[in-house]
Every structure is written in structure tokens, then in C-alpha cells.
Amino acid sequence: MNCLICGSIFQSPPTWRKLFIYEIEPTACNRCLSKFEKTSPEIDFSDFQGTYYEGAVDSVTTFYTYNEAMKSYLHQYKFLQDVALAQVFADELRHVFEAKEGIVVPIPMHPEKLLQRTFAQVDELLNCAEIPFKQLLAKTETNEQGKKTKKERLEAKSLFKVIDKIEAQNYLLFDDIYTTGTTIHHAAKVLKEAGAKRIDAITLIKG
């Protein structure tokens, strides 16, 4: 098969694991995958201490750092609209979600941004990983949080609204990248205000 990232031909080696555990076949070669760097599991929530959003998120799990290889991957996936690249991390995402308990909620795109990108990149990552999810949020702001100052981010009005009933259960927020944390915390806050019991977040990348 051909690597979705570099286009080279590679073969997935047979393993004993595949005989007993269902795995999604790899779609990228080991040379490309080795360029992605695993991130530290620690997330700093200090920006939100003493603010309206403190305590909104109970935990965050991330996979990779935003290095040059990941920057190139995201550019090709999101901005060059190479939808097939959603398959690259499918098996890894699936295993992580299977180990957690809760209703999966993707971070939505604003309708205007969706028209520009032509597809919802967060939803597509979940689809390729065969993870069921519910659309419970709608984005109300189009501004990118990474371009705002810390003060502007903390004082901004809510970025989301709830569009369906929220029960007193655990929810798993999913986004492609955690940069300032503002997006995740805003989404978690409106879910908890609507009745969610616990909010854990999972992101592919830590910016």
C-alpha cells in the first residue's frame, strides 16, 4: 500500500496482536510516523485559575507535539483539504477512546469556517477511528483564540451554545489541537452548566 503522507510503498508486517485484537490497518509508513513526537501528558491549567472557567475541564489527554512534521500534516489535512489523512491516527485514537467512559462530543466548526474548509476535520478523525459521537454544541464565534491576548481570551463571551439535551453523565470532548486551552474550557463550561457530570478532553496535538 502507499503511505498517505509521503506516497511511498510500504507493507504492514503481520503480528500476533492482529489475530486477537481488531486493529485499523496503518495508512502511513514507519518513516513518516517516526517524525511525530509524543507529548508530555501534563497540561497547564494556570491560565484559568480564579476565572469563570476554572474547573470546567477535569482532565486532558494529548498525543503529539506540534513539531514540523505535525505542522506539515495539519496543513495538508486542514488547509489543502486532504481528507484521507484523517486515517493516519485512526487506530491510536480508537484505542484511547475505548479505554475511557463517556459520550464523545467533537468540537464543532463555525458554519462560515466549515464552508471554507469544506469538511469538519474533527468529525472526520472520529469517523475514521470508528468512534460514535454526538453533535451537542454549536460554535458561535469565528475568531481564532490563538491570535488573542490572554486577557482577551479570558474575557471573551462563550464560544459555544448547547443544541441538544445534556444529561448528568460523563462527556469526552475531542479536538484536533490544544493550543491555549480556551476552546476546550469554553466548551466544557457550557456542557457543565447544562448538566454534564464530568468533562474529560482528548486532543491529537498539544500546541
Side-chain angles (χ1 to χ4, degrees):
M1 65 185 71
N2 291 84
C3 174
L4 291 178
I5 298 175
C6 69
S8 65
I9 298 175
F10 76 100
Q11 185 173 3
S12 175
T15 65
W16 285 105
R17 179 183 174 89
K18 291 182 179 179
L19 294 177
F20 303 102
I21 301 176
Y22 170 68
E23 289 186 337
I24 298 174
E25 285 295 321
T27 54
C29 65
N30 287 334
R31 184 176 60 180
C32 286
L33 293 176
S34 67
K35 295 178 182 179
F36 300 120
E37 298 177 3
K38 290 286 187 176
T39 186
S40 167
E42 297 180 4
I43 296 291
D44 182 12
F45 289 161
S46 60
D47 275 0
F48 299 92
Q49 293 175 359
T51 73
Y52 176 70
Y53 298 97
E54 183 176 6
V57 180
D58 293 285
S59 75
V60 178
T61 300
T62 63
F63 293 85
Y64 296 98
T65 62
Y66 189 59
N67 64 358
E68 284 302 316
M70 188 58 75
K71 182 179 180 180
S72 176
Y73 166 85
L74 272 188
H75 178 75
Q76 186 174 348
Y77 176 52
K78 295 170 68 171
F79 300 104
L80 300 185
Q81 302 168 355
D82 192 346
V83 185
L85 287 178
Q87 303 172 53
V88 171
F89 301 105
D91 195 59
E92 191 167 9
L93 285 172
R94 187 175 65 84
H95 285 306
V96 168
F97 275 99
E98 285 182 344
K100 293 184 176 292
E101 182 179 345
I103 298 170
V104 179
V105 180
I107 294 293
M109 298 177 71
H110 190 278
E112 292 180 10
K113 186 65 69 67
L114 182 58
L115 283 175
Q116 295 175 7
R117 298 277 174 83
T118 71
F119 73 103
Q121 69 265 5
V122 174
D123 293 7
E124 197 61 33
L125 289 168
L126 292 173
N127 285 330
C128 287
E130 302 174 6
I131 299 166
F133 59 88
K134 289 186 176 181
Q135 297 286 4
L136 299 178
L137 298 171
K139 196 164 188 182
T140 58
E141 290 287 318
T142 58
N143 295 334
E144 294 184 24
Q145 298 305 303
K147 296 180 179 180
K148 294 182 178 180
T149 65
K150 176 181 176 180
K151 185 174 184 294
E152 288 173 335
R153 294 197 308 270
L154 295 179
E155 293 179 351
K157 63 180 180 180
S158 181
L159 304 176
F160 302 95
K161 64 179 179 180
V162 174
I163 58 174
D164 206 343
K165 182 180 179 181
I166 304 299
E167 300 177 358
Q169 297 187 32
N170 295 351
Y171 290 83
L172 301 174
L173 277 174
F174 178 65
D175 203 1
D176 54 355
I177 186 168
Y178 182 107
T179 306
T180 66
T182 304
T183 299
I184 288 291
H185 279 74
H186 275 238
K189 188 65 176 178
V190 296
L191 286 175
K192 279 194 171 177
E193 288 180 338
K197 180 180 178 182
R198 177 184 174 89
I199 304 292
D200 296 296
I202 297 173
T203 71
L204 180 63
I205 307 154
K206 172 64 174 71

